[in-house]
Amino acid sequence: MGNSGSAVKVCADHQGGINWLSLSPDGQRLLTGSEDGTARLWSTADSQCHGHFQGHESYITFCHLENEAAFTCSADHTIRKWDVVTGQCLAIYRGHTSIVNRILVAKDYLFSGSYDRTARCWSVDKENQIQEFRGHRNCVLTLAHYSSKDVLEEEEEEEEEEEKVSRDLLVTGSTDCTVKVWWVSSGRCYQTLLGHTGAVLCLILDAPNRELFSGSTDYTIRTWNIVTGEQLKVFKEHQGSIICLELVNRHLYSGSADRTVKCWLVDTGERIQTYKAHKHSVSTLKYHAGILFTGSGDACARAFNSRSGVLQKIFRGHKFIINCIQIHNELLYTASHDGTLRIWDIRGICKRNKRRLKKERSAQGRSSQKGSLPRLFNNKVGCMVQQENGDHETVELM
């Protein structure tokens, strides 16, 4: 068990908590949205702040970064678009009558969800509203988007002839316990998915397999057929609200207020792993190269071997909840309500994981020849070192 030191860098430019962190598609920039009402643009090359976006009249709830434009939404009821080079505000999208808590950019569309019980669609290049989706009885908390051509066969598309002007659909999750699917072109509700008994906090879409996953405060995750609206499975083992979801290679990872993450086989519904050691709710998670990274309300980020569930590292240094994490070029970025963006080097853990996978494959190959399988993992983590050697301690457990 060793101590690999502190964060590579601590970026403390914000004057309030960071609510979200977005990575550009090309990986060159990061965007942070803060309680201080501003967003900041960071270079992944030098970890320096290269942009400061000011203009919102209240805190920023969420942000999204494209290669050439940044988008922020706020408690001031508006969404803004920014030029990432000049920092100029290019557009202000007005129309919501309460806090805008989520945005999603897809194709030429900008979608937004609000406490005003509506979702809306805007033109990315213009400030005008294209469509309003009205029907939820409470706040719209989460969004997903897909095209019907990704999930419908040709004969099924013919049945939806009136909607063929645009094949795009928006999925919304709400505190009214429902998930709704909407035709973007008309604003018509295509499906209402009923079954949850608590607020829907997160959505993950698997369009090629026609599946939607929803996590709720009712402690369950549910799987839906997005064409028929049929509920396929209910995952019930969590003892707290489902806060975040990640889908990788037909494995579903769920982070919960019960202080655990669970891994499920999507095709069977079997829970195959539980990741423990968190001392508060799991607020965010990200899978990378066989490693599951988590952020928690206990102000720590953690790295687990995704297959064995063994805790490999704890990243200490934040003072409050970690709201979002991103990974790029074997650097882990963590954004917290303490107002800091911290950057951690994860090259060592990634290399060790690759070596471990090679050994496992080799051992499996030898054992298959002998007709028996060896024990590949020691799941006994052991006693966790709790002493504090500084504000930015990283504890290695493998």
Side-chain angles (χ1 to χ4, degrees), residues 268-374:
T268 65
E270 178 188 2
R271 192 265 304 158
I272 59 171
Q273 193 55 260
T274 298
Y275 310 85
K276 301 178 180 179
H278 308 94
K279 294 178 171 55
H280 206 284
S281 300
V282 178
S283 48
T284 182
L285 55 84
K286 186 76 68 174
Y287 175 96
H288 175 76
I291 306 166
L292 185 68
F293 293 90
T294 65
S296 172
D298 63 16
C300 293
R302 291 174 173 82
F304 296 86
N305 181 299
S306 63
R307 183 173 171 183
S308 69
V310 171
L311 176 62
Q312 295 181 291
K313 284 188 180 180
I314 303 175
F315 303 89
R316 301 183 188 276
H318 284 294
K319 304 300 182 186
F320 299 114
I321 182 173
I322 296 173
N323 289 321
C324 193
I325 59 180
Q326 293 288 348
I327 298 168
H328 179 67
N329 279 350
E330 297 191 341
L331 289 174
L332 171 67
Y333 299 85
T334 58
S336 167
H337 202 69
D338 66 12
T340 67
L341 169 68
R342 292 175 185 259
I343 306 167
W344 316 83
D345 189 337
I346 57 172
R347 285 177 295 181
I349 187 174
C350 290
K351 286 179 181 178
R352 284 192 294 276
N353 195 60
K354 288 176 183 176
R355 288 198 297 267
R356 187 179 295 111
L357 288 172
K358 283 184 179 180
K359 288 182 181 178
E360 290 165 14
R361 292 191 187 104
S362 177
Q364 284 177 329
R366 290 194 301 271
S367 64
S368 64
Q369 294 174 359
K370 296 178 181 179
S372 63
L373 286 174

Side-chain angles (χ1 to χ4, degrees), residues 258-271:
D258 67 8
R259 306 182 181 187
T260 73
V261 176
K262 294 184 185 294
C263 178
W264 315 81
L265 291 178
V266 169
D267 295 325
T268 65
E270 178 188 2
R271 192 265 304 158

Side-chain angles (χ1 to χ4, degrees), residues 244-263:
C244 48
L245 295 171
E246 177 99 328
L247 181 65
V248 182
N249 298 327
R250 304 298 286 169
H251 289 67
L252 181 69
Y253 299 89
S254 53
S256 170
D258 67 8
R259 306 182 181 187
T260 73
V261 176
K262 294 184 185 294
C263 178

